[in-house]
């Protein structure tokens, strides 16, 4: 069964919608910069410079929620713009997040520790499931809501589950993607793992030191043929391949030979029923950690052999937006299919010595892009691959 | 030096939550990573925290840890040198 | 039908490795605690030392399930509403109280919801599909829907379960977070489901969720009628509240036995299974309305 994409929306440090994002991508304009507050000034981050109140005002958000939920509402609303609810189209929302409402909870918990104005009411936003409820509420979707929490592969897994629920006849149309806001919790967490780059991150570069965190949200709308007949929406792309596999190597590190990544890419190609040489662009997970980029490169070489398509990580633009990354990058993939874009891997100089691979370094448009492969790999060895194709 | 090593062993057990081990179970020269105790990269980071918290020694680059954390002997030697 | 081949539950009941959980079931008081198996028999010390309660329970129950079947799992689907609370709280304390530049990372990496699923794949060296669902009181139902899709897609040996843990702090946030009067507890229940009939012939026939439930009785009627049944066909109703649905069926409130945590519906499936098995009955219905307006219905059948 064909899974049609009929909408997309995103917000990140490089833009609050697709048009702004394309401008940044075209102009090689990264959203990563030094943090501005006391808590963030030691880090390079892809932050969105809009407060929660500004988000609510600017995007006319009616539902209250954590920053994660609000960012999700912005992107999901964009994606669902012009879609109408109908009792003949069973519509769901599946959202990925790793922090949920932690942006509020961590502030409240400090008040608890300091015994200073602690208000347990505020934990009502904490649960990841609740952030999805809030996003669904903003869109008026009430038939089915789910939240996937598999760290950095969450949004990609949400896309996969949405497609499978359509294939299994359980839903007709699903808003799928992910959202995560910057939190002290995650900033401290990645700091404790010592995998930050103190400078601007360098995906796939031999000198890469680590990642820069980012925040954002990205969602797409997928529909069955039956739903399309009723909604009469114009298909923008096809969600043709998807897969999830476990690396089972280590809690946080990827296997050196990229075993899990190989499994997920191979299976996604099988689901899409296309050969590796039909992929025109790979949007890599490419976090710029020494471990991921080597592991992912090995996996790419193993599958694509001597016909490696143009590939890049867009994380030196947006930062690593954790659970949102698969959703944001799915939107980038769709824009690439529609406009023939190839995105550069910013801040690259020297290929990784073990592989010699050179990513795409310029922004191009008008290329023939029929199939895009997008990787998202999460902690716990959770490896996911999505393939989006031209209609 | 041997007092430092005994203290170190107790600190390692606590920091890494090695519930079933006693100080007597850890030989001075036993490999801590890979075989031996079977510690991993997360434990290496915990060692960095341990060194900073208890001895004021900062290791900024985790890859430096490989040499230093090989055994209690090498750890103790590093601490003596850098305190 | 999605046949259940094995079950493993760790809870505040004596529920682990017992042929009929009803034999040792007791209504929970306020002071109950997890009745843990000997985790050391299941998990090597280098892994066990890092595992908080929900991780120990989830991993051990899954290993027990693996020990009871012949083949590796070809898909794993885990539900958890609040994830690894102990490690989450521990890391929150760390970040708010440590002045140093160096923070202990262990609690952070153990705090993500999918650590449960991740530890299972790591512990069993399993490379299959591995998903973690978190949707408050319907976390298990959604995990089950995913597992059902896996079987529909050709998988033969699917691990599905749910786990949640309580921490003392939860009671502080309780009135606002979890509106209920049962004692807060922890629990993990895991199952292996398959398209092929198992030794008991018991399985899940269907699962239904309603995120905008306003009339539970009507939802139940529609759900059963979709499965060509009426409430008369149901032998036992396992519900998350006190109200009996009719005079005809036996009803029990599973929260009396699991205590209050959002993965309780998984324990309810264990109860339903053992009920049908021990009493030779045919149909059980699990009703989950722990959160107002968010309804889960699971139909369990013995063939």
């Amino acid at each position: 069964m064909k899974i049609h994409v009929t909408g997309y929306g995103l917000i990140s440090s490089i833009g609050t919608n697709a048009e702004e994002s394309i401008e940044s991508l075209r102009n090689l304009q990264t959203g990563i910069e030094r943090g501005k507050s006391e808590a963030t000034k030691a880090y390079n981050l892809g932050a969105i410079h809009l407060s929660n109140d500004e988000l609510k005002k600017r995007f006319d958000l009616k539902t209250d929620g954590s920053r994660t939920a609000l960012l999700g509402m912005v992107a999901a609303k964009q994606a669902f713009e012009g879609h109408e609810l109908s009792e003949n189209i069973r519509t769901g929302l599946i959202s990925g997040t790793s922090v949920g409402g932690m942006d509020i909870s961590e502030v409240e918990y400090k008040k608890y520790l300091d015994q200073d104005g602690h208000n347990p009411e505020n934990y009502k936003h904490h649960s990841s499931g609740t952030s999805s409820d809030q996003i669904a509420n903003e869109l008026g979707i009430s038939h089915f809501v789910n939240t996937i929490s598999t760290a950095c592969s969450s949004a990609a897994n949400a896309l996969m589950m949405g497609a499978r629920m359509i294939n299994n006849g359980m839903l007709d149309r699903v808003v799928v993607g992910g959202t995560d806001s910057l939190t002290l919790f995650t900033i401290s967490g990645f700091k404790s793992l010592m995998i930050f780059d103190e400078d601007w991150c360098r995906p796939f570069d031999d000198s890469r030191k680590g990642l820069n965190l980012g925040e954002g949200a990205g969602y797409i709308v997928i529909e069955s043929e039956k739903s399309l007949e009723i909604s009469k929406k114009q298909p923008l792309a096809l969600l043709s391949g998807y897969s999830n596999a476990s690396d089972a190597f280590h809690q946080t590190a990827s296997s050196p030979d990229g075993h899990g990544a190989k499994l997920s890419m191979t299976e996604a190609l099988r689901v899409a029923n296309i050969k590796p040489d039909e992929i025109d662009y790979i949007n890599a997970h490419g976090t710029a950690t020494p471990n991921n980029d080597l592991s992912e490169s090995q996996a790419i070489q193993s599958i694509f052999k001597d016909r490696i398509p143009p590939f890049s990580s867009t994380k030196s633009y947006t930062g690593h937006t954790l659970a949102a990354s698969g959703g944001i990058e799915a939107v980038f993939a769709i824009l690439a299919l529609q406009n023939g874009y190839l995105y550069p891997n910013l801040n690259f100089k020297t290929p990784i010595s073990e592989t010699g691979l050179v990513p795409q370094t310029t922004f191009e448009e008008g290329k023939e892009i029929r199939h895009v492969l997008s990787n998202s790999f999460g902690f716990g060895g959770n490896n996911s691959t999505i393939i989006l194709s031209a209609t | 030096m041997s007092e430092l090593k005994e203290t170190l062993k107790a600190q390692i057990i606590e920091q890494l939550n090695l519930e079933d081990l006693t100080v007597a179970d850890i030989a001075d020269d036993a490999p801590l990573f890979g075989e031996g105790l079977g510690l991993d990269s997360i434990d290496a980071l915990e060692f960095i925290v341990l060194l900073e918290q208890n001895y004021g020694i900062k290791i900024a680059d985790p890859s430096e840890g490989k040499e230093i954390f090989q055994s209690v002997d090498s750890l103790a030697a590093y601490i003596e040198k850098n305190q | 039908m999605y046949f259940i081949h094995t079950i493993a539950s760790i809870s505040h009941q004596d529920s682990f490795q017992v042929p009929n959980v009803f034999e040792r079931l007791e209504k929970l008081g306020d002071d109950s605690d997890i009745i843990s198996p000997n985790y050391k028999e299941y998990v090597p010390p280098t892994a066990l030392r890092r595992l908080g309660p929900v991780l120990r329970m989830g991993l051990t129950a899954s290993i027990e399930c693996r020990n009871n079947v012949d083949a590796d799992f070809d898909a794993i689907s885990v539900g958890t509403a609040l994830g690894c609370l102990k490690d989450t709280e521990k890391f929150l304390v760390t970040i708010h109280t440590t002045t140093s530049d160096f923070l202990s990372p262990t609690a952070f990496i153990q705090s993500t919801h999918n650590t449960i699923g991740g530890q299972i794949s790591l512990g069993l060296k399993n490379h299959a599909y591995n998903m973690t669902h978190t949707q408050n009181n319907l976390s298990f139902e959604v995990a089950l829907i995913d597992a059902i899709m896996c079987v529909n897609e050709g998988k033969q040996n699917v691990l599905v379960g749910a786990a949640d843990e309580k921490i003392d702090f939860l009671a502080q946030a309780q009135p606002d977070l979890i509106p209920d009067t049962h004692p807060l507890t922890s629990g993990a229940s895991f199952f292996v489901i398959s398209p092929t009939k198992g030794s008991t012939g018991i399985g899940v026939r269907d699962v239904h969720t309603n995120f905008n439930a306003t009339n539970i009785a009507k939802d139940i009627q529609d759900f059963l009628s979709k499965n060509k049944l009426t409430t008369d066909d149901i032998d036992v109703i396992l519900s998350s509240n006190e109200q009996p649905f009719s005079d005809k069926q036996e009803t029990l409130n599973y929260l009396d036995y699991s205590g209050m945590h959002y993965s309780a519906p998984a324990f309810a499936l264990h109860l339903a299974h053992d009920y049908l098995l021990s009493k030779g009955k045919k149909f059980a219905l699990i009703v989950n309305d722990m959160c107002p307006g968010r309804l889960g219905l699971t139909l369990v059948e013995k063939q």
Side-chain angles (χ1 to χ4, degrees):
Chain A
M1 201 190 295
K2 281 192 183 171
I3 306 290
H4 301 270
V5 179
T6 55
Y8 52 76
L10 81 175
I11 179 169
S12 77
S13 60
I14 65 167
T16 63
N17 56 35
E19 290 73 36
E20 287 178 18
S21 305
I22 291 169
E23 272 320 288
S24 297
L25 289 161
R26 180 183 280 118
N27 295 326
L28 314 187
Q29 185 60 50
T30 182
I32 296 168
E33 56 183 13
R34 211 64 173 173
K36 297 207 167 32
S37 73
E38 195 55 42
T40 59
K41 64 185 188 185
Y43 310 98
N44 281 315
L45 302 165
I48 295 167
H49 298 301
L50 289 166
S51 69
N52 291 355
D53 281 334
E54 285 167 337
L55 287 171
K56 286 180 196 168
K57 271 207 197 76
R58 172 115 92 118
F59 300 101
D60 192 28
L61 303 179
K62 313 249 181 323
T63 311
D64 196 20
S66 63
R67 185 173 177 79
T68 296
L70 296 175
L71 291 173
M73 287 178 218
V74 171
K77 255 179 87 163
Q78 262 176 47
F80 207 55
E81 179 74 43
H83 286 75
E84 277 163 24
L85 293 165
S86 155
E87 45 177 51
N88 298 317
I89 306 179
R90 294 166 302 171
T91 303
L93 176 103
I94 303 177
S95 176
T97 183
S98 62
V99 304
M102 179 59 87
D103 57 286
I104 295 180
S105 303
E106 64 189 11
V107 171
E108 207 55 48
Y109 194 77
K110 179 148 205 323
K111 293 183 189 167
Y112 165 72
L113 290 177
D114 294 343
Q115 302 200 339
D116 177 19
H118 182 231
N119 180 5
E121 259 273 313
N122 287 329
Y123 296 115
K124 70 183 179 206
H125 296 292
H126 176 78
S127 144
S128 297
T130 300
S131 68
S132 305
D133 277 338
Q134 291 164 340
I135 298 166
N137 184 66
E138 183 69 15
L139 270 53
I141 291 173
S142 62
H143 181 80
F144 181 81
V145 182
N146 185 30
T147 313
I148 293 199
S149 185
T150 56
C152 316
S153 55
S154 301
N157 286 332
L159 265 64
M160 178 173 179
M161 190 179 183
R164 290 167 64 227
M165 288 193 78
I166 291 175
N167 283 334
N168 275 267
M170 296 172 176
L171 291 173
D172 304 309
R173 176 174 61 185
V174 206
V175 180
V176 288
T179 173
D180 261 339
S181 66
L182 283 169
T183 61
L184 183 63
F185 195 91
T186 42
I187 291 172
S188 305
F190 281 87
K191 182 188 157 109
S192 78
L193 290 171
M194 299 182 80
I195 51 173
F196 277 147
D197 192 332
E198 290 195 352
D199 298 318
W200 187 20
C201 65
R202 289 156 273 173
F204 295 107
D205 190 285
D206 199 52
S207 71
R208 68 203 183 281
K209 282 267 176 316
L211 56 91
N212 302 145
L213 275 182
E215 61 179 351
Y219 290 85
I220 66 174
V221 181
I222 53 175
E223 300 188 49
S224 65
E225 298 272 357
K226 169 192 158 204
S227 175
L228 218 53
E229 277 165 33
I230 303 172
S231 73
K232 306 259 189 289
K233 283 283 169 210
Q234 184 67 14
L236 308 167
L238 294 171
L239 178 53
S240 55
Y242 38 79
S243 152
N244 172 271
S246 289
D247 200 31
F249 174 76
H250 182 266
Q251 190 60 27
T252 51
S254 304
S255 58
D257 66 341
H259 183 58
K262 259 185 267 180
L263 290 175
S264 72
M265 284 194 273
T266 303
E267 176 63 7
L269 286 164
R270 188 197 68 78
V271 169
N273 198 22
I274 63 176
K275 296 195 185 44
D277 62 14
E278 295 180 71
I279 297 290
D280 297 306
Y281 166 62
I282 298 175
N283 184 294
H285 186 56
T287 54
T289 63
N291 175 245
N292 176 81
D293 291 6
L294 176 59
S295 174
E296 188 173 7
S297 296
Q298 309 273 37
I300 288 173
Q301 278 183 317
S302 156
I303 290 174
F304 294 89
K305 303 202 189 336
D306 56 359
R307 300 183 70 170
I308 295 176
F311 73 94
S312 62
S313 164
T314 44
K315 291 186 171 71
S316 35
Y317 274 104
T318 57
H320 186 5
T321 55
L322 301 180
S325 58
I328 290 171
E329 289 157 19
V331 179
F332 289 164
I334 293 163
L335 294 170
L337 289 165
Q338 287 187 308
N339 301 288
Y341 293 146
L342 284 176
Y343 307 117
N345 188 108
L346 295 182
N347 210 15
F348 170 84
K349 286 198 185 61
T350 313
I352 297 174
S353 53
E354 291 95 323
T355 64
L357 290 184
V358 178
Q360 176 77 15
T361 52
T362 54
F363 179 91
E364 294 185 69
E365 50 193 305
K367 310 292 288 183
E368 201 193 334
I369 312 280
R370 294 150 306 147
H371 303 285
V372 176
L373 181 146
S374 173
N375 284 328
S376 296
F377 304 145
F379 277 172
N382 199 281
N383 290 18
S384 299
T385 300
I386 293 294
I387 296 175
L388 287 146
S389 304
T391 52
Chain B
M1 187 71 143
S2 70
E3 210 193 292
L4 170 61
K5 289 183 191 178
E6 294 309 286
T7 310
L8 254 180
K9 289 175 190 179
Q11 288 168 337
I12 289 170
I13 288 171
E14 207 200 308
Q15 187 76 22
L16 306 189
N17 208 26
L18 298 166
E19 319 172 301
D20 291 330
L21 292 187
T22 64
V23 164
D25 293 324
I26 308 176
D28 288 2
D29 60 354
L32 296 173
F33 288 81
E35 353 95 62
L37 277 190
L39 305 180
D40 67 6
S41 56
I42 301 295
D43 294 306
L45 295 170
E46 293 288 359
F47 270 117
I48 291 177
V49 175
L50 190 161
L51 277 180
E52 204 264 346
Q53 262 174 15
N54 298 325
Y55 301 97
I57 299 172
K58 296 184 205 257
I59 297 181
D61 184 352
S63 59
E64 284 174 39
K66 248 195 163 115
E67 284 291 314
I68 305 167
F69 306 145
Q70 262 185 48
S71 64
V72 173
D73 276 340
S74 57
L75 250 174
Y78 186 80
I79 292 170
E80 293 262 297
K81 198 165 157 215
N82 288 282
Q83 259 207 307
Chain C
M1 263 290 274
Y2 305 91
F3 292 99
I4 295 171
H5 281 223
T6 190
I7 305 177
S9 286
I10 299 171
S11 67
H12 288 231
Q13 301 287 344
D14 189 358
S15 57
F16 188 70
Q17 290 180 332
V18 298
N20 177 5
V21 74
F22 281 94
E23 278 172 13
R24 316 222 192 139
L25 222 50
E26 290 176 9
K27 286 205 178 177
L28 291 181
D30 287 331
D31 287 332
S32 69
D33 206 347
I34 303 172
I35 298 181
S36 304
N38 185 355
Y39 292 120
K40 290 180 191 172
E41 287 175 12
Y42 290 85
V43 185
T46 39
L48 187 59
R49 64 187 166 114
R50 288 187 180 146
L51 303 184
V54 72
L55 294 170
R56 291 177 179 222
M57 293 189 295
L59 177 56
T60 301
S62 301
I63 294 171
E64 174 68 10
C65 282
R66 177 64 187 90
N67 290 344
N68 295 339
V69 296
D70 293 328
D72 287 336
F73 303 131
D74 47 15
I76 295 173
S77 176
V78 178
T80 179
L82 297 174
C84 309
L85 286 175
K86 181 153 186 247
D87 287 297
T88 301
E89 183 172 27
K90 188 162 178 208
F91 197 66
L92 277 172
V93 171
T94 297
I95 64 180
H96 286 318
T97 59
T98 306
T99 45
S100 154
D101 268 347
F102 297 93
L103 302 168
S104 165
T106 302
F108 174 68
I109 61 159
Q110 300 296 77
S111 72
T112 60
H113 285 32
N114 72 310
T115 306
I116 305 168
Q119 286 291 332
I120 296 169
S121 81
L122 213 50
L124 295 175
K125 288 268 162 281
N126 183 292
H127 295 288
Y129 174 87
N130 189 307
M131 206 49 52
T132 301
H133 301 276
T134 176
Q135 198 55 40
N136 298 325
N137 67 309
L138 294 175
S139 300
F140 178 61
E141 280 82 349
V142 189
L144 196 48
I145 286 170
D146 191 352
I148 283 171
M149 290 200 291
C150 288
V151 172
N152 291 347
E153 291 156 358
K155 303 289 193 283
Q156 300 288 311
N157 203 30
V158 180
L159 178 73
V160 60
D164 265 295
E165 67 185 1
K166 91 159 210 192
I167 50 173
D168 290 341
F169 185 74
L170 207 49
Q172 292 253 356
Q174 183 203 1
D176 310 274
L177 204 59
I178 301 170
D180 193 79
T181 51
H182 287 83
L184 294 176
T185 53
S186 310
S189 291
F190 279 76
F191 309 80
V192 177
I193 64 167
S194 169
T196 56
K197 197 167 172 178
S199 57
T200 64
I202 299 174
V204 173
R205 177 90 100 85
D206 197 4
V207 180
H208 172 78
T209 56
N210 185 345
F211 288 79
N212 192 21
T214 51
N215 185 342
I216 294 177
K218 179 166 190 311
D219 272 13
I220 291 175
Q221 220 174 42
D222 291 346
F223 177 59
L224 293 178
S225 134
K226 174 192 162 208
N227 285 285
K228 307 215 182 349
L229 298 170
T230 69
T231 46
D232 285 352
D233 296 305
I234 306 299
D235 296 299
V236 64
I237 296 181
L238 298 97
S239 163
S240 58
N241 70 44
E242 299 303 331
Q243 295 180 341
F245 288 93
S246 80
D247 306 320
K248 293 189 192 149
Q249 292 88 9
E250 180 160 358
T251 58
L252 65 90
N253 182 340
Y254 50 86
L255 296 186
D256 289 345
Y257 305 105
S258 63
M260 179 61 204
H261 61 85
Y262 282 144
S263 289
F267 188 70
L269 180 56
H270 186 167
L271 291 175
H273 175 280
D274 286 5
Y275 181 97
L276 294 180
L277 187 63
S278 60
K279 303 208 181 216
K281 298 288 186 181
K282 196 151 167 51
F283 286 110
L285 175 68
I286 301 169
V287 180
N288 171 2
D289 65 343
M290 288 188 283
C291 290
R294 307 279 196 254
L295 178 70
L297 299 173
T298 305
L299 180 62
V300 189
E301 179 180 347
K302 182 176 191 312
Q303 282 189 356

